[in-house]
Amino acid sequence: MAMQEVEVRDYWAKVFSRRKTEIQEICPIEFKDSTFEEVQTATQNLIKKHENKRFSRALKAISPTLEKVNSFTRALTTLSTLSMGATITWGTLQILIEYVCRFSAAIETSLDIIAKVNNALPMYDRASALYPGATSLRWPLQRIFDNCIDCYILIIKEFDQSGLKSFFKALTPSNLTKSVAKKIQNIDDGEKEFFQLVEQIEREATTSRGIQQARTIGAISTQLGLTPEQALVRGSHEARYPVRTIEVRPNPLFVGREAVLEKIHEYLFKAPCDGRHDITCCVIHGLGGQGKTQTALAYYWKYRDHYDAGFWLKSSTAGEIKKSYVKIAKRLRQANILGSTQAHSTDTELSAEVGLAREWLEGTDRKWLLIFDNLEDANLIDAYLPQEFSRGSIIITTQKAHMSPITNDFNKIELQPLASEDCSALLFKIWGREPSNCEKDVSHEISEWVGGLPLAIVTIAGYLKRSESSVKEIFDSLKLSSRIWASTGKGIVGSYEKTLSTVFGLALGEISHNSRHLLQILAFLDPLGIPEEMLRRGYPEMPSLGFLNCAEEYLTVREDLGERQLIKRVQSEEGMILEIHRSLQLNLLLGMTKELNSAKRLAVFHEVTGMLQSVLPAASRLQQNEKETWPFFEKYGSQILSLRRNSQWPDPPISLEFSFAKMLSNIGTFLWHTGQIRECDSTMKTAVAIIEAQPADFKASPECEVLLSDIYLVTGIIADCVGVSRRQESLDHREELLRMREKELKTIEAHKVTVEDEIRWGNAKGDLACAYMQRSRYSEAKEIMTELLKYYQKWGREDDYPYEYSKYYLYLGYILMAEGKPEEALDHARKGLELETAHADGVDSTVLLTQYSVASLLFNAGEVQDSLRLHQETLDRRLEICGKNSQYTLESYEAIGILHHLVGENKKAAECFKICIISQYRANWTREGVARARYWYSKVLASLGEKHEADKELETALLEKSWFLKNYPQFLFDDEQNEGAIFDQMLPMWVLQLSGPLQTGGRTLASTTLLEGKIECYHL
């Protein structure tokens, strides 16, 4: 044993011996060492013995506090390397509880004091386990231990042989309660000191690991003859568990819900713990303010030792969920659980990270927990849930009581109002004082009045903490406000709304002007995370926000609102953020609308809009990928979307201005580049609606048409990706886009026209050619591209403008194939792929779109095996870059499945189509794409002799075919001799085509035969 360890053990042995002797001297009964299990059993026996007595509640309240004592004593044992401290603590506590129970007249108050002491003990056994040899931690740990034992001794000393006389005297605020409060404050101070030292140790450990890693790399590289980079890979692959993205520490104010936490654990752990099983899921639902999020958080921290990984996912929007999955992948990588990624751009990186995280959840044998917080639309997580058996569990918090099952093992818990005793405990815990019996009685009345709603209790406690009012005065004010408050609802919901409105009205009634102003600003933003640096950036053009830039004034406001429990300040990976409860946010929005002067609501909206406009970078005129601007849109995107949503509720909605449409267009373009198509589509539609609401003369202005053309460029591309259901929209937007871009070009004096101006016009022209090709108008598309080539050549060489030239060569590839010139078509398409790869400086999702097109044109040229090989290569890269559940990936699976079927490899084909059908919802695949996949899957199943399943798939596909024929007859032609042709017509022209003008030089594919790896097509 090292000398230092011997010294540590000797030191702690002396501390423990001294305290044990002191306890034995004053102990009224024989002292015996004890353990957590023994005290837990003894407490349970006492609860059973006294369950019919009036103090049984206080006795039951002791039981959950034993977990905190257990955590503390584990830390004590780890750092002292002796069990003596734990046995002394448990022995003293057991004597104290048993002895107190003999004094029935005083038991309730004394047990409450014991519970308060136990609850004050910090839970940092995990931190001590990480740094067991950290001798610097002994001082704060001893401080906490000594003060805990002091508290126990103070209570024991009051039980002298004269009976209860001195004990009752001690129960007055001037004696025992105050003495214990001082000791608890010392415990709190020790806890803060402990964690400060842990942070310092962690920083030193990180530095030490870096130095050690450098030495290891040097040693490996010397021994094995590797470069430092190669050695780094060799030396950094040890996985580290546990891993989590749950950044919020246990809430020290959380009370009650013990039965709920046990029920959740029962649901999640009823499956075998040593093998893979159906994912277990528990939904916690209830009205806003019931404490759903805090209950989920409390569950994790209580049972965290049962999980190797725990992940928290903000889930109100698809974007938040995607960001949370990216964070999971990042954390897994930091723990050496995942390898590095090779993504080349933000959209591909996001998709790849999501895919990697989900695949780890599906494939690992580690026990994991996902917590989807504030999920109101179950469809949002469908694309993210692991599909296969695993060792995982899921918790969902939501206000939706009727959520459809998302796993086979699916359970729900409706969060009931908090018990009156727990409400009282919560109120005084936040207030930070010991209540008198009279105050306790009033707190129970308040609990009943607010219906056991934790959010209401927290808000009232925050008000008490900042005011000089008594509990009775607060209750009287609430009852008075309630009588004059006009309820707009009936039943449970109406009562709930009335309660919160009354409580919030009281809490907001005495705050300062600046505090109210900050809350009104937060009401328009994302309640789960508002970057503090955005608020404090400084806005000289808006004098009304001056208090945010003044450190002293801002600190006063933030502390005031924090003390009142109206906001929380939380550390995130991006920096400090502010959080506000959604119920308070809605109340503030409603309050601003109901005010006689609605100008205040509009003024705050403009302030928030100005903030966001100042932090966002200027958008590209060409709407191309701008990697340097992505972090800004990633950081503030949710704020823009929240501002859009909260400006439209409650009625009357705020009339959005043109500048806001600009901001929506910019964030919409970002969403498009990062593959968030649904959100992009919705955002762009709002921007168009704002423009449509502008006065007629302004709508015709150059500024307005420039913005609308930018929007149409994106929405036209989105429409093309869908298929026939949006084919008319695609053409309409492209024609209007070209009209506006031509008008824009004409407004510029000839000598001032730049290449960028002409590229904007050229992009519109090229997009119209694409829309023509979607309708098989290849000759018109060729005219456009021939004209554009002259401009490209005027601007510069292919190396100077690879993106523009690549589009020309690819489009010409399709046109030439439709003209019956397959060799020339392939030459052009391959040239387009070469230039696109040069433009992207590697392979990304856009390059893979072009590569997919080349593979499909190879098939159209009759080169089946070459087509299959290139499609397989494209699929492999899409799995790596885009992930398994991407529309692009499924299109590759479908193409390969069709090709395998055509060459007689039906088992391989069936595997591809199974993936398509299973993953269709997760990938948000288009209805058109799924219909064709089902049609070809039916052919594959029939070839395998699975007639029943084949008939089911064919029936579904033909029902879809009938629906599309009925709704889009202008685009579809039902060829009775080739029932599959209509499914090709439904899809974009760049998806693998087996019929129509692209198939072998313009001839229609009615039947196919295989001759030496080529397909011969016969025109009927």
Side-chain angles (χ1 to χ4, degrees), residues 99-382:
Y99 194 66
V100 163
C101 285
R102 300 180 184 181
F103 297 90
S104 58
I107 187 172
E108 194 166 7
T109 303
S110 55
L111 287 177
D112 283 345
I113 295 174
I114 295 171
K116 182 179 282 293
V117 174
N118 292 349
N119 272 323
L121 294 175
M123 298 179 71
Y124 48 45
D125 51 316
R126 186 169 291 256
S128 62
L130 288 173
Y131 306 107
T135 57
S136 60
L137 297 179
R138 79 166 76 159
W139 310 116
L141 192 67
Q142 182 189 345
R143 183 179 185 181
I144 296 169
F145 171 74
D146 280 337
N147 279 278
C148 173
I149 297 299
D150 285 345
C151 286
Y152 293 160
I153 289 175
L154 279 171
I155 300 172
I156 291 173
K157 281 184 176 180
E158 300 306 323
F159 295 96
D160 60 13
Q161 295 181 1
S162 63
L164 296 180
K165 180 178 179 181
S166 65
F167 181 74
F168 283 135
K169 181 180 178 182
L171 293 180
T172 63
S174 60
N175 293 307
L176 181 62
T177 304
K178 286 188 176 181
S179 298
V180 170
K182 289 180 181 178
K183 298 295 182 183
I184 289 176
Q185 183 59 55
N186 291 339
I187 291 173
D188 290 341
D189 293 342
E191 179 183 5
K192 292 176 183 176
E193 183 183 355
F194 183 92
F195 282 117
Q196 287 172 354
L197 287 170
V198 167
E199 290 177 2
Q200 180 180 339
I201 292 169
E202 286 177 345
R203 287 193 296 269
E204 292 171 354
T206 300
T207 302
S208 177
R209 282 195 297 269
I211 295 171
Q212 183 59 43
Q213 187 179 47
R215 290 172 178 167
T216 302
I217 292 167
I220 293 174
S221 61
T222 300
Q223 293 173 11
L224 302 180
L226 302 176
T227 67
E229 291 77 11
Q230 292 170 327
L232 177 61
V233 174
R234 286 278 188 101
S236 59
H237 285 304
E238 183 181 352
R240 298 190 298 272
Y241 291 96
V243 60
R244 64 171 181 257
T245 61
I246 300 174
E247 299 170 344
V248 181
R249 300 221 29 102
N251 184 356
L253 301 178
F254 186 83
V255 298
R257 305 290 193 205
E258 288 299 323
V260 173
L261 299 182
E262 290 173 6
K263 195 68 175 177
I264 295 171
H265 197 60
E266 177 186 330
Y267 283 148
L268 299 185
F269 265 76
K270 58 187 176 185
C273 295
D274 57 350
R276 299 172 72 80
H277 52 76
D278 275 330
I279 296 171
T280 55
C281 180
C282 182
V283 174
I284 307 172
H285 65 91
L287 294 171
Q290 288 282 23
K292 300 179 292 295
T293 296
Q294 292 303 318
T295 300
L297 187 65
Y299 170 81
Y300 173 75
W301 284 109
K302 180 173 181 178
Y303 293 101
R304 67 189 184 279
D305 290 338
H306 292 78
Y307 297 96
D308 297 303
F311 304 117
W312 191 273
L313 301 97
K314 295 181 179 180
S315 307
S316 59
T317 67
E320 284 182 340
I321 298 172
K322 193 168 191 176
K323 286 172 65 176
S324 296
Y325 260 86
V326 171
K327 187 179 290 186
I328 290 173
K330 179 180 178 182
R331 195 58 53 85
L332 290 171
R333 188 168 288 106
Q334 290 171 341
N336 292 332
I337 297 168
L338 286 183
S340 61
T341 180
Q342 300 299 319
H344 294 279
S345 62
T346 293
D347 58 333
T348 55
E349 181 181 347
L350 288 174
S351 299
E353 294 291 88
V354 170
L356 286 170
R358 184 174 48 235
E359 288 165 17
W360 180 84
L361 294 169
E362 289 177 349
T364 185
D365 287 327
R366 295 283 184 165
K367 183 66 179 172
W368 52 260
L369 175 67
L370 294 178
I371 302 176
F372 290 93
D373 184 41
N374 195 43
L375 178 71
E376 302 306 323
D377 181 0
N379 293 324
L380 292 179
I381 64 171
D382 190 65

Side-chain angles (χ1 to χ4, degrees), residues 378-625:
N379 293 324
L380 292 179
I381 64 171
D382 190 65
Y384 298 92
L385 290 178
Q387 295 177 331
E388 303 160 5
F389 288 99
S390 71
R391 295 195 63 214
S393 300
I394 292 171
I395 292 176
I396 294 173
T397 70
T398 180
Q399 292 190 32
K400 302 290 184 183
H402 306 292
M403 181 173 287
S404 299
I406 60 171
T407 66
N408 292 329
D409 195 336
F410 188 78
N411 308 276
K412 293 182 180 180
I413 292 178
E414 181 178 4
L415 213 55
Q416 300 296 327
L418 202 59
S420 177
E421 294 84 356
D422 292 329
C423 283
S424 176
L426 177 61
L427 188 146
F428 290 107
K429 198 171 190 179
I430 295 172
W431 194 4
R433 58 168 289 176
E434 278 293 321
S436 66
N437 289 334
C438 179
E439 286 177 327
K440 269 192 176 182
D441 292 339
V442 176
S443 71
H444 288 301
E445 291 185 67
I446 290 176
S447 170
E448 295 296 325
W449 188 86
V450 301
L453 190 64
L455 177 60
I457 293 294
V458 168
T459 307
I460 292 169
Y463 179 82
L464 280 167
K465 196 170 184 178
R466 296 295 288 184
S467 71
E468 297 181 358
S469 304
S470 68
V471 181
K472 186 177 184 308
E473 288 171 339
I474 295 299
F475 189 35
D476 289 341
S477 297
L478 287 171
K479 290 186 289 185
L480 178 63
S481 300
S482 174
R483 287 196 292 270
I484 63 174
W485 189 86
S487 176
T488 58
K490 296 180 180 180
I492 295 175
V493 174
S495 174
Y496 163 82
E497 291 174 347
K498 179 179 179 179
T499 296
L500 280 183
S501 181
T502 304
V503 170
F504 287 145
L506 179 69
L508 300 174
E510 293 187 5
I511 62 175
S512 68
H513 170 77
N514 285 343
S515 294
R516 180 181 291 273
H517 193 173
L518 179 57
L519 285 178
Q520 290 169 335
I521 289 170
L522 302 184
F524 279 104
L525 296 167
D526 179 4
L528 295 180
I530 299 140
E532 194 172 32
E533 56 87 19
M534 182 187 83
L535 298 172
R536 306 218 50 223
R537 185 181 178 90
Y539 303 95
E541 70 280 6
M542 292 185 281
S544 59
L545 299 180
F547 74 98
L548 295 176
N549 201 39
C550 174
E552 185 176 350
E553 289 185 39
Y554 175 74
L555 184 61
T556 300
V557 167
R558 194 188 72 202
E559 288 183 345
D560 178 46
L561 295 178
E563 285 281 311
R564 294 177 185 273
Q565 304 296 312
L566 297 176
I567 65 170
K568 289 182 181 179
R569 186 171 183 256
V570 180
Q571 176 71 52
S572 73
E573 286 189 346
E574 293 79 21
M576 299 305 300
I577 60 173
L578 299 185
E579 295 180 352
I580 180 172
H581 197 282
R582 274 183 166 78
S583 296
L584 174 57
Q585 184 184 54
L586 296 177
N587 186 273
L588 289 162
L589 290 169
L590 189 62
M592 282 189 279
T593 306
K594 286 184 174 180
E595 288 177 2
L596 295 177
N597 182 9
S598 61
K600 179 62 177 177
R601 179 191 183 200
L602 190 60
V604 176
F605 169 77
H606 286 313
E607 287 174 342
V608 178
T609 302
M611 285 182 178
L612 289 168
Q613 287 172 335
S614 70
V615 297
L616 291 173
S620 164
R621 290 186 70 218
L622 301 181
Q623 293 159 293
Q624 295 179 355
N625 295 355

